[in-house]
Amino acid sequence: MPLLISFSLKLGADVLKVESTAAGCCVPRAEVQTITCIATGGTYTVSAGYNSTDINAISMTSFEIEKRLESLEGITDVSIFMNGGDPCNVTGGVIIVSFAIIAPHAGDFPLLLVNGTTLTNSGSGSGSGGGSSSDQSTSVTITETVA
């Protein structure tokens, strides 16, 4: 039979090679979920299955976030890309979570759940101190794209 589908996908240091002789078979889809967070402090919770982990609004590296997400149920390998130094900021920190293509789970991964009730946002108010008069709204959202 002639080879109908053949391609390789590089994921970090790993290479996934897919070959098929069946028409319409075995075309994996990568999933990307994007977390957007508006805050200057606190934490938010990310959940998958029955497990959850906290993500600090500031001072967390993409490597630390990757390891925390990979500790959740059903997540074996993700890549993390951040648009700045912190997971959250006053204009909306963005974390892009790219799920590795691992058969038979290629494609649609259940949407991660996020809860930002402990986030804080002091905005760009002047002065230092614990007053809440400069507090502004916070949010954390997640969207998914199956490529």
Side-chain angles (χ1 to χ4, degrees):
M1 254 199 256
L3 185 64
L4 299 176
I5 299 172
S6 178
F7 66 92
S8 296
L9 177 64
K10 186 172 183 180
L11 299 167
D14 299 322
V15 176
L16 172 70
K17 185 168 184 167
V18 176
E19 293 183 351
S20 172
T21 56
C25 171
C26 307
V27 179
R29 300 178 301 165
E31 175 154 323
V32 175
Q33 295 188 18
T34 303
I35 301 171
T36 305
C37 178
I38 298 174
T40 58
T43 61
Y44 63 89
T45 302
V46 178
S47 301
Y50 296 104
N51 303 103
S52 63
T53 189
D54 289 335
I55 304 295
N56 297 331
I58 58 170
S59 302
M60 247 184 124
T61 67
S62 58
F63 179 77
E64 291 171 314
I65 294 168
E66 178 180 332
K67 292 305 165 199
R68 289 201 180 178
L69 292 179
E70 288 174 351
S71 74
L72 297 176
E73 178 181 344
I75 300 178
T76 56
D77 189 15
V78 295
S79 296
I80 302 295
F81 304 95
M82 293 190 338
N83 73 337
D86 292 321
C88 301
N89 61 47
V90 294
T91 58
V94 174
I95 298 173
I96 298 171
V97 181
S98 178
F99 293 83
I101 301 172
I102 300 173
H105 305 290
D108 196 19
F109 186 87
L111 188 65
L112 297 172
L113 302 175
V114 292
N115 181 330
T117 56
T118 61
L119 289 170
T120 61
N121 191 350
S122 60
S124 58
S126 61
S128 61
S132 62
S133 61
S134 65
D135 282 352
Q136 300 184 17
S137 64
T138 62
S139 69
V140 60
T141 59
I142 190 159
T143 56
E144 76 176 330
T145 303
V146 177

